[in-house]
């Protein structure tokens, strides 16, 4: 059975179709829903096995990237989201979706609808929007989304506010101690970027490109896995020898589908 997957969209989201296609390719049954439809009946969230927050510029990134979308979710869907997480259902936030998950408090977690956030995604160190491919190294053994990614991979990024910043050193240490750092920016050899550009494109603390919550089910990342599903998506596909069977991003969606199927 193909797990029903909710692609939650709102004004300014522009990667919902690509995200839906990625889940469909991975074996899910994706359905796109505007947040207003979910706000009318939050219990509808329980009808789905996976939740995805796609990339884009929700509400024009007014105030801060993802802030308005996050406030809608935390204040009006908080109880439904907590029930979803407690049921062991996976959630992914990609780029703007990652920003939303952090600003709702779903990441780093554990989630409390009445709590605050303990990290943010700030402006890139160079003050510019960056769109290019980056090297990544998987770190977490807990994150269900990154299982099977055991070596350096490449994914594209496209963001202006992608610098991961924890509230304090204690949050950073907790992420490492709880195995919540899922992906880090890496150099050509697969070693940590160690804060150096261009391997670390935005200045993220600890080279963090993606994290999960303490359960390993809620996952957010700045790179776009939905943009690398087949070898043909890679700009160097004609020079890859041997060429990969699939794009590195597809494994991420397949992992969630396999988990949802049990």
């Amino acid at each position: 059975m193909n797990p029903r997957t909710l692609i939650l969209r709102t004004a300014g989201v522009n990667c919902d179709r690509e995200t839906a296609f990625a889940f469909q390719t991975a074996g899910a049954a994706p359905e796109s829903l505007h947040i207003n439809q979910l706000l009318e009946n939050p219990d509808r969230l329980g009808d789905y096995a996976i939740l995805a927050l796609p990339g884009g510029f929700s509400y024009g990134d007014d105030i801060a990237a993802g802030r308005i979308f996050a406030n809608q979710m935390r204040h009006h869907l908080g109880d439904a989201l907590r029930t979803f997480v407690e049921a062991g259902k996976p959630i992914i936030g990609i780029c703007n979706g990652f920003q939303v998950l952090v600003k709702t408090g779903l990441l780093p977690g554990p989630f409390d609808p009445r709590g605050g956030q303990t990290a943010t995604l700030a402006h890139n160190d160079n003050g510019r929007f960056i769109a290019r491919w980056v090297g990544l190294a998987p770190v977490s053994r807990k994150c269900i989304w990154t299982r099977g990614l055991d070596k350096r991979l490449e994914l594209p990024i496209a963001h202006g506010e992608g610098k991961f910043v924890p509230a304090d050193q204690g949050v950073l240490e907790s992420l490492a101690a709880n195995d919540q750092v899922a992906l880090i920016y890496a150099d050509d050899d697969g070693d940590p970027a160690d804060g150096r550009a261009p391997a670390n494109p935005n200045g993220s603390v600890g080279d963090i490109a993606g994290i999960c919550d303490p359960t390993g089910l809620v996952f957010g990342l700045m790179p776009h896995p939905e943009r690398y599903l087949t070898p043909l998506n890679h700009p160097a596909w004609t020079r890859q020898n041997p060429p990969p069977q699939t794009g590195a991003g597809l494994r991420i969606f397949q992992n969630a589908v396999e988990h949802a199927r049990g």
Side-chain angles (χ1 to χ4, degrees), residues 128-228:
R128 301 176 182 176
F129 183 88
I130 303 172
R132 63 177 181 82
W133 287 70
V134 297
L136 301 161
V139 180
S140 175
R141 294 183 298 274
K142 175 184 292 184
C143 182
I144 66 106
W145 293 86
T146 55
R147 287 176 182 165
L149 299 177
D150 56 359
K151 58 182 179 180
R152 181 185 183 275
L153 63 147
E154 293 183 334
L155 292 175
I157 58 169
H159 59 251
E161 296 178 48
K163 178 180 179 178
F164 182 83
V165 182
D168 53 43
Q169 184 64 24
V171 173
L172 184 63
E173 292 173 357
S174 177
L175 286 172
N178 293 332
D179 195 25
Q180 291 180 244
V181 178
L183 292 172
I184 61 171
Y185 295 109
D187 62 20
D188 291 342
D189 296 322
D191 297 322
D194 199 22
R196 296 187 296 268
N200 181 329
N202 47 41
S204 285
V205 175
D207 298 322
I208 291 174
I211 62 173
C212 65
D213 77 334
T215 71
L217 294 171
V218 183
F219 175 47
L221 72 167
M222 286 311 299
H224 286 266
E226 80 282 8
R227 297 182 183 178
Y228 190 19

Side-chain angles (χ1 to χ4, degrees), residues 12 33 39 45 55 79-80 96 112 114 136 138 140 166-167 176 213 217 239:
L33 199 68
L39 292 175
L45 184 59
D79 291 338
N96 191 247
D112 179 357
R114 286 160 291 279
L136 301 161
S140 175
D213 77 334
L217 294 171
R239 301 190 298 276

Side-chain angles (χ1 to χ4, degrees), residues 11-260:
V13 167
N14 60 21
C15 297
D16 47 311
R17 292 187 178 183
E18 293 93 330
T19 304
F21 178 74
F23 274 108
Q24 182 179 30
T25 303
E31 301 174 28
S32 181
L33 199 68
H34 193 282
I35 191 172
N36 287 349
Q37 296 171 278
L38 193 57
L39 292 175
E40 292 174 358
N41 182 11
D43 290 341
R44 291 184 65 177
L45 184 59
D47 296 337
Y48 298 92
I50 303 170
L51 171 62
L53 304 180
F57 305 91
S58 59
Y59 299 103
D61 281 346
D62 287 343
I63 305 176
R67 168 62 69 188
I68 297 175
F69 198 3
N71 283 351
Q72 284 185 299
M73 293 182 62
R74 185 163 67 89
H75 294 302
H76 302 293
L77 299 173
D79 291 338
L81 287 166
R82 182 167 56 186
T83 299
F84 194 91
V85 172
E86 290 175 350
K89 297 179 179 181
I91 299 176
I92 189 172
I94 302 168
C95 196
N96 191 247
F98 183 20
Q99 295 161 340
V100 171
L101 290 180
V102 167
K103 288 167 184 175
T104 60
L106 277 159
L107 287 175
F111 179 57
D112 179 357
R114 286 160 291 279
Q117 66 183 84
T118 56
T120 195
L121 279 306
H123 288 281
N124 301 340
D125 274 357
N126 65 6
R128 301 176 182 176
F129 183 88
I130 303 172
R132 63 177 181 82
W133 287 70
V134 297
L136 301 161
V139 180
S140 175
R141 294 183 298 274
K142 175 184 292 184
C143 182
I144 66 106
W145 293 86
T146 55
R147 287 176 182 165
L149 299 177
D150 56 359
K151 58 182 179 180
R152 181 185 183 275
L153 63 147
E154 293 183 334
L155 292 175
I157 58 169
H159 59 251
E161 296 178 48
K163 178 180 179 178
F164 182 83
V165 182
D168 53 43
Q169 184 64 24
V171 173
L172 184 63
E173 292 173 357
S174 177
L175 286 172
N178 293 332
D179 195 25
Q180 291 180 244
V181 178
L183 292 172
I184 61 171
Y185 295 109
D187 62 20
D188 291 342
D189 296 322
D191 297 322
D194 199 22
R196 296 187 296 268
N200 181 329
N202 47 41
S204 285
V205 175
D207 298 322
I208 291 174
I211 62 173
C212 65
D213 77 334
T215 71
L217 294 171
V218 183
F219 175 47
L221 72 167
M222 286 311 299
H224 286 266
E226 80 282 8
R227 297 182 183 178
Y228 190 19
L229 304 179
T230 79
L232 300 182
N233 294 141
H234 197 284
W237 69 271
T238 59
R239 301 190 298 276
Q240 292 178 316
N241 186 24
Q245 296 295 309
T246 62
L250 182 59
R251 179 73 257 173
I252 290 173
F253 300 100
Q254 288 174 330
N255 283 337
V257 171
E258 290 171 7
H259 177 86

